[in-house]
Amino acid sequence: MIRKHYKLLFVIPFLVFSYACKKNTEPIQVTTDNFHQSVDKVVEIMVHDIFSPPVASRVFAYPNIAAYEIIAQNDSAYNSLNGQIKHFGAIPKPKKKVNYPLAALIAHIDLSKQLIFSEQKMEEYRDSLYTVWKTKNEKEFEEAKEYGLEVAGFIANWMNKDNYAQTRTMSKYTVDSDIESRWQPTPPSYMDGLEPHWNKIRTFVLDSAAQFKPIPPPAFSMDKDSDFYKELKEVYDISLQLDKEGDTSEKIEIAQFWDCNPYVSVTRGHLMFAVKKITPGAHWIGIVKIATKKSESDFNKTIYAYTKTSIAIADAFISCWDEKYRSNLVRPETLINKYFNDEWKPILQTPPFPEYTSGHSVVSGAASTVLTSIFGDNFDFKDDTETPYGLPVRSFPSFKAAADEAAISRMYGGIHYRAAVEVGVGQGRKVGDLVVENIKMIN
């Protein structure tokens, strides 16, 4: 009997040790859902931190590129961006065989953490994943982590030369209230013009911020027969019609669906607070998620779609902001309050930067063009991106149709003239076409 007890004392620790060893050598499987969750976490933190639309586009682009470059190392179907983006070089190669999807996800998380403000939120998310992966297979995790962080460091070094840091110290926008055509800060917060130097940010594919410089807006004039006056009056007349239609108006629903204003000031008595939402770029990143899920894209194609779209979005913002502070056009709200109705308010809160061209229109034109090149011309989808903000799902027969609706929504919302949305969506499509033609990511 005593011998049996001795045997058990040796056998039980051996079984525990064997189980532990087996548990710690389980292969780590990284899925498309894992990557979507990482992107979603970044969006969640960006909403909390209140990033302006142009800055948000930068936060998407670099982490996606880091992840893409890693998967391209191990999949001959995909081409590196080395040499395709003229100022981008080859990332380091792994010194040993690694779990490439895991390394890609680690690089995405690490670089995202460097770009947001609330780093602790990203660290908590990262550490929860690290704990799971380390438990499954510590050796595989550590090797993938080493490589993922090495690539993230390489991309960060390249990223930090894009002039973003320099623009943080440049002068604020100067308001010239003596020239009526020029942009003026708008109610209720009367904020300074956002990112007046964004055209100095290094582009990805554009040869310069002004490559697709659009035609000028209609010449400013309050003559009732002028094109400019007619466009201003059109915005006001649309708002009056929508007031009659009330909550039953689909145009109001469209305006609210595509609002995507990351900072809406709300005044209640003596209190003023912010309602936070996603940016226009984040909405289209959400559409990437919808498209990859519907098409059942694998891990590598999912990262490819996110990366190519985010590059187009980033260059679209640079192109658009270059024109905004060139034409420096006054918003409808300023003129309608002065000439038509001093109590008038647009359906959407006017964002704090010049009017022409429409940022959402340019970005939508660019993103929809790239997505069409990836998923096809008549890719129908249900857009539930705005459901977290209490808005219903909208259905679209194609990415182009979604972009057209996003553009016209700015007129329905009372924040843009017709020229800004029509010229803007065309400007964006030119950016998108350039990305499609110049960035050959698939063999």
Side-chain angles (χ1 to χ4, degrees):
M1 192 71 176
I2 294 174
R3 287 181 179 175
K4 287 184 180 179
H5 285 165
Y6 275 118
K7 284 183 180 179
L8 285 173
L9 286 174
F10 284 106
V11 170
I12 291 172
F14 176 76
L15 291 174
V16 171
F17 176 75
S18 299
Y19 174 74
C21 289
K22 184 178 180 182
K23 185 179 179 183
N24 206 237
T25 57
E26 182 182 344
I28 300 173
Q29 299 294 328
V30 178
T31 67
T32 54
D33 280 343
N34 293 140
F35 198 82
H36 290 313
Q37 288 159 10
S38 182
V39 174
D40 288 345
K41 177 55 68 172
V42 176
V43 172
E44 175 192 316
I45 297 171
M46 287 165 65
V47 170
H48 174 271
D49 289 347
I50 312 177
F51 281 86
S52 71
V55 176
S57 71
R58 182 174 179 266
V59 178
F60 288 123
Y62 288 107
N64 284 330
I65 290 172
Y68 174 80
E69 285 299 297
I70 289 175
I71 64 103
Q73 293 285 313
N74 192 48
D75 190 339
S76 60
Y78 295 94
N79 298 316
S80 169
L81 294 170
N82 174 29
Q84 300 199 68
I85 296 175
K86 58 178 178 262
H87 42 74
F88 180 61
I91 66 169
K93 293 187 179 296
K95 299 176 182 66
K96 60 190 78 173
K97 186 178 179 181
V98 297
N99 181 328
Y100 286 90
L102 180 58
L105 184 53
I106 289 170
H108 184 273
I109 292 170
D110 185 75
L111 207 52
S112 296
K113 184 179 78 70
Q114 296 183 45
L115 284 160
I116 46 91
F117 300 142
S118 300
E119 292 184 19
Q120 184 181 353
K121 291 179 180 289
M122 202 67 193
E123 287 169 357
E124 290 171 355
Y125 173 72
R126 176 201 66 192
D127 291 347
S128 67
L129 293 174
Y130 277 13
T131 299
V132 173
W133 294 331
K134 193 172 183 178
T135 302
K136 282 188 175 181
N137 193 324
E138 186 172 1
K139 183 175 183 292
E140 184 179 28
F141 162 66
E142 291 294 348
E143 289 174 349
K145 178 185 171 186
E146 181 183 357
Y147 183 55
L149 295 182
E150 183 183 11
V151 173
F154 177 90
I155 299 293
N157 184 56
W158 168 58
M159 172 185 76
N160 291 333
K161 297 173 184 174
D162 71 354
N163 300 325
Y164 175 77
Q166 289 82 346
T167 62
R168 302 307 91 190
T169 61
M170 292 177 182
S171 60
K172 291 184 177 181
Y173 167 78
T174 302
V175 176
D176 189 343
S177 55
D178 294 332
I179 303 176
E180 193 175 28
S181 66
R182 291 179 69 112
W183 178 80
Q184 306 288 322
T186 49
S189 298
Y190 297 93
M191 293 172 65
D192 290 332
L194 283 178
E195 301 299 340
H197 306 290
W198 200 253
N199 66 343
K200 296 178 179 65
I201 298 294
R202 182 185 62 198
T203 59
F204 289 94
V205 184
L206 295 171
D207 61 21
S208 72
Q211 181 172 354
F212 294 118
K213 177 183 175 182
I215 60 171
F220 179 85
S221 171
M222 292 309 292
D223 184 313
K224 292 184 179 180
D225 291 326
S226 69
D227 289 339
F228 181 85
Y229 181 90
K230 289 174 183 176
E231 289 202 4
L232 173 64
K233 186 69 163 50
E234 182 181 23
V235 175
Y236 183 56
D237 289 345
I238 287 172
S239 72
L240 296 180
Q241 182 60 40
L242 295 184
D243 281 344
K244 291 179 183 177
E245 295 176 12
D247 294 338
T248 61
S249 172
E250 187 186 17
K251 290 178 180 177
I252 292 177
E253 184 178 308
I254 289 170
Q256 292 172 338
F257 183 80
W258 293 102
D259 183 13
C260 301
N261 188 340
Y263 182 92
V264 175
S265 297
V266 179
T267 304
R268 299 274 167 81
H270 296 293
L271 295 175
M272 179 175 283
F273 58 93
V275 174
K276 304 176 185 179
K277 295 182 68 176
I278 58 173
T279 61
H283 190 127
W284 280 97
I285 289 294
I287 292 175
V288 175
K289 177 182 175 180
I290 292 165
T292 54
K293 283 197 161 193
K294 182 184 175 183
S295 62
E296 299 182 347
S297 297
D298 64 16
F299 187 83
N300 290 1
K301 186 176 179 181
T302 295
I303 293 179
Y304 157 66
Y306 273 121
T307 303
K308 198 164 189 175
T309 306
S310 64
I311 289 172
I313 290 170
D315 269 3
F317 270 112
I318 296 170
S319 177
C320 180
W321 252 244
D322 179 60
E323 178 56 39
K324 278 189 179 294
Y325 285 95
R326 179 189 299 110
S327 52
N328 214 341
L329 189 60
V330 63
R331 289 276 184 171
E333 185 170 12
T334 303
L335 296 177
I336 290 172
N337 286 163
K338 182 175 181 178
Y339 288 99
F340 299 156
N341 181 348
D342 60 4
E343 295 184 355
W344 182 85
K345 293 180 181 179
I347 290 169
L348 304 180
Q349 193 168 112
T350 303
F353 33 80
E355 190 273 342
Y356 187 83
T357 47
S358 156
H360 213 328
S361 303
V362 178
V363 167
S364 297
S368 63
T369 299
V370 168
L371 285 168
T372 299
S373 75
I374 297 170
F375 297 102
D377 220 348
N378 298 305
F379 189 95
D380 63 286
F381 63 98
K382 296 183 185 299
D383 188 353
D384 62 356
T385 310
E386 298 287 337
T387 53
Y389 306 100
L391 297 171
V393 174
R394 291 191 66 78
S395 298
F396 300 99
S398 66
F399 301 114
K400 181 180 182 296
D404 288 340
E405 184 179 280
I408 200 65
S409 76
R410 314 318 264 171
M411 275 186 68
Y412 299 159
I415 61 175
H416 278 293
Y417 312 109
R418 182 173 292 278
V421 303
E422 292 183 349
V423 175
V425 77
Q427 179 184 355
R429 286 186 173 127
K430 289 177 182 176
V431 174
D433 284 338
L434 188 73
V435 172
V436 172
E437 291 164 10
N438 287 25
I439 301 291
K440 302 300 183 185
M441 297 169 75
I442 291 185
N443 285 321

